[in-house]
Amino acid sequence: MKTLPHVVIIGGGFAGLAAVQALAKAPVRVTLLDRRNHHLFQPLLHGVALAELSPAEVAYPIRSVLSKQANATVLLAEARAVDAENKKIALGDGSELSYDYLIVAAGACTKFLSDDWAKYSVGLKDLDDAVEIRRRVLLAFEEAERETEDLERREALLTFVVVGGGATGVEVAGSLAELSRYVLAHDFRNIDPESARIVLVHGGERILMEYPPEQSAIAQGYLEKLGVEVRTGTRVNELNAQGVKLGADAFLPSATIIACAGVRPTPVIDTLDAPKDKGGRVLVSADLSVPGHPEIFVVGDASSFLHQGGQPLPGLAPVAKQQGLSAAANIVASLYGRQRSNFHYKHRGSLITIGRSKAVANFGWLRLKGFTAWLAWLFIHVCFLIGFRNRFVVTFLWFWSYITRQRGSRLITGQRMNAGPLQKGSTQ
Ligand SMILES: Cc1cc2nc3c(=O)[nH]c(=O)nc-3n(C[C@H](O)[C@H](O)[C@H](O)COP(=O)(O)OP(=O)(O)OC[C@H]3O[C@@H](n4cnc5c(N)ncnc54)[C@H](O)[C@@H]3O)c2cc1C
């Protein structure tokens, strides 16, 4: 009996999952590899980092999502290298997997500018990062409460620097401000959490460059109303265990530095023999395949698609999803000897939330702000979450926190230690 063509998909994120599901009825065997056992809904990750949501509310087991898809097998495994000549993938445990078609949907990871950035700051790309941010932030307040002698150290503990004024940095800064101004406001005896300093540093001339200038200004206004210091046109020139040096300013002591700027494709992309842009993403052909390898597709955050307007498409979930669907459709087209289609991204809008009840939304034909935009943000994000339980719980928790200003996930867990001034005596 003739075996069906084997399609291997690396990554069960937005792009990979969309591709597997689109192949449900195709005459192929599909193997989805992911180094994590869950699909992560990254747009709500800041909620985990700032104690609004628990990890399980923004993630869902991949095996469960695909349990009814008979032609799909899920493997918990890390792809280490792609051998395009021999159509094989080397896995983390030393074994190999052969493919007839390959879709690389391995996403991106935080790009730290130097070893110091990796050591002293924390990024926000996965659940481990989110739990680590939550740990560092909550621990900083706890340590400050106990610091009654060294007031400089206490100030450093209550100073939080968020680097990057893109969507993630803005959402993190807004949520952090809400946490300190409202959620923790009455829980301490020796410190006033409301006095916490939250500094959002952005190298560009305005935050949220992808939005129209008026909407950037509105978002900045919301942040400032929450007490966030927005420093545009400013770069972090240096950082160490004690804090950061911003532009030409004096050194700013800070225990918690959150890096929300800069991403790079996950390392397996480096092993793929393909043209790349300066950010390391694969420059794909118009049908999303790798030039010279029509059997390999690269989609989502790992790819650079220049065939629509000449600029790479943004790293957004809808881009990844649509590319996953398109790559799957092109594999089916090849199987039936039909011509492949060129990818075309349909942008339906951008939304970003700032704190508990404010947002800005840009649908092109309609721009929203304030509470209406926040309702739209909540509705759209909840709709795209996987799992009825998650949708229900997230909606409930957000409304609960809206009414009570409480956050139920204020847990300090994890072992990763910050080398910053959380340790007594290290501010010297
Ligand atoms: C904090 C944050 C907030 C965001 N907010 C928004 C938003 O509001 N709206 C929006 O549209 N977009 C948002 N994004 C961007 C969006 O999440 C990404 O564009 C999208 O996830 C990209 O999808 P992907 O499938 O390419 O990669 P991912 O969703 O990152 O999936 C990649 C998968 O590959 C797996 N993987 C990686 N390397 C390997 C390997 N070597 N072997 C096996 N498995 C591997 C990973 O475990 C992961 O499951 C946000 C991103 C972040 C980090």
Side-chain angles (χ1 to χ4, degrees), residues 168-180:
T168 302
V170 167
E171 291 189 328
V172 166
S175 187
L176 186 47
E178 288 265 357
L179 181 78
S180 62

Side-chain angles (χ1 to χ4, degrees), residues 11 13-15 34-36 42-43 77 79 105-107 124-125 300-301 315-318 320:
F14 287 99
D34 202 298
R35 58 185 176 181
R36 310 254 185 243
Q42 291 173 6
L124 182 58
K125 271 311 274 180
D301 282 3
L316 291 173

Side-chain angles (χ1 to χ4, degrees), residues 212-263:
E214 316 83 72
Q215 288 196 299
S216 292
I218 292 169
Q220 180 162 341
Y222 290 153
L223 285 171
E224 286 169 347
K225 219 167 165 197
L226 283 169
V228 176
E229 289 174 43
V230 180
R231 306 276 299 269
T232 49
T234 307
R235 296 201 174 272
V236 175
N237 283 339
E238 191 188 318
L239 90 169
N240 59 33
Q242 277 73 50
V244 292
K245 182 150 173 30
L246 300 181
D249 290 4
F251 196 78
L252 176 67
S254 166
T256 314
I257 302 158
I258 304 172
C260 299
V263 290

Side-chain angles (χ1 to χ4, degrees), residues 16 28 35 60-61 81 105 119 132 137 177 213 216 225 227 240 251 264 269 280 288 299 311 328 354 366 395 413 425:
V28 290
R35 58 185 176 181
Y60 205 79
K119 193 167 169 193
E132 176 63 9
V137 168
S216 292
K225 219 167 165 197
N240 59 33
F251 196 78
R264 65 178 297 275
I269 294 297
L288 299 172
V299 290
Q311 291 297 318
I354 300 128
L366 176 69
T395 310
T413 57

Side-chain angles (χ1 to χ4, degrees), residues 10-17 33-36 38-46 62 77-80 105-108 124-126 167-168 171 266-268 299-302 314-321 351-352 377 381:
I10 303 176
F14 287 99
L17 215 47
L33 294 180
D34 202 298
R35 58 185 176 181
R36 310 254 185 243
H38 51 264
H39 166 81
L40 176 63
F41 192 79
Q42 291 173 6
L44 291 182
L45 206 49
H46 71 278
I62 296 172
E78 174 155 24
R80 283 276 164 81
L124 182 58
K125 271 311 274 180
D126 60 22
T168 302
E171 291 189 328
T266 38
V268 67
V299 290
D301 282 3
L316 291 173
V319 175
K321 255 184 164 177
L351 301 97
I352 178 174
W377 175 87
H381 282 74

Side-chain angles (χ1 to χ4, degrees), residues 50-299:
L50 280 315
E52 288 167 285
L53 300 169
S54 298
E57 283 141 18
V58 301
Y60 205 79
I62 296 172
R63 206 168 276 294
S64 217
V65 182
L66 297 174
S67 63
K68 295 204 173 76
Q69 187 170 328
N71 72 344
T73 300
V74 179
L75 293 186
L76 177 65
E78 174 155 24
R80 283 276 164 81
V82 176
D83 175 357
E85 288 317 308
N86 297 303
K87 295 191 184 175
K88 278 185 182 156
I89 300 157
L91 304 184
D93 62 3
S95 61
E96 286 183 338
L97 194 65
S98 302
Y99 60 83
D100 298 302
Y101 291 94
L102 173 65
I103 300 180
V104 186
C109 54
T110 302
K111 180 183 169 190
F112 291 110
L113 293 176
S114 68
D115 290 348
D116 280 348
W117 278 88
K119 193 167 169 193
Y120 301 117
S121 69
V122 55
L124 182 58
K125 271 311 274 180
D126 60 22
L127 280 179
D128 291 341
D129 289 340
V131 171
E132 176 63 9
I133 291 176
R134 184 177 73 181
R135 198 182 72 81
R136 289 189 190 191
V137 168
L138 296 178
L139 213 48
F141 284 102
E142 294 296 335
E143 285 287 315
E145 171 80 348
R146 291 181 54 202
E147 183 55 86
T148 49
E149 288 160 15
D150 183 344
L151 296 187
E152 276 181 22
R153 178 170 179 266
R154 184 197 269 188
E155 212 176 302
L157 286 161
L158 291 178
T159 300
F160 301 87
V161 177
V162 180
V163 185
T168 302
V170 167
E171 291 189 328
V172 166
S175 187
L176 186 47
E178 288 265 357
L179 181 78
S180 62
R181 307 296 184 256
Y182 302 106
V183 183
L184 302 180
H186 306 294
D187 291 6
F188 292 85
R189 298 295 167 260
N190 298 322
I191 57 162
D192 174 12
E194 289 183 59
S195 68
R197 202 171 158 197
I198 296 146
V199 186
L200 176 65
V201 187
H202 184 60
E205 63 187 28
R206 63 181 173 93
I207 59 168
L208 299 177
M209 292 292 282
E210 62 282 21
Y211 284 78
E214 316 83 72
Q215 288 196 299
S216 292
I218 292 169
Q220 180 162 341
Y222 290 153
L223 285 171
E224 286 169 347
K225 219 167 165 197
L226 283 169
V228 176
E229 289 174 43
V230 180
R231 306 276 299 269
T232 49
T234 307
R235 296 201 174 272
V236 175
N237 283 339
E238 191 188 318
L239 90 169
N240 59 33
Q242 277 73 50
V244 292
K245 182 150 173 30
L246 300 181
D249 290 4
F251 196 78
L252 176 67
S254 166
T256 314
I257 302 158
I258 304 172
C260 299
V263 290
R264 65 178 297 275
T266 38
V268 67
I269 294 297
D270 301 341
T271 70
L272 192 59
D273 181 20
K276 317 235 167 84
D277 68 8
K278 61 180 182 341
R281 294 173 300 178
V282 175
L283 287 159
V284 290
S285 307
D287 66 352
L288 299 172
S289 68
V290 170
H293 283 284
E295 74 287 2
I296 303 179
F297 296 81
V298 182
V299 290

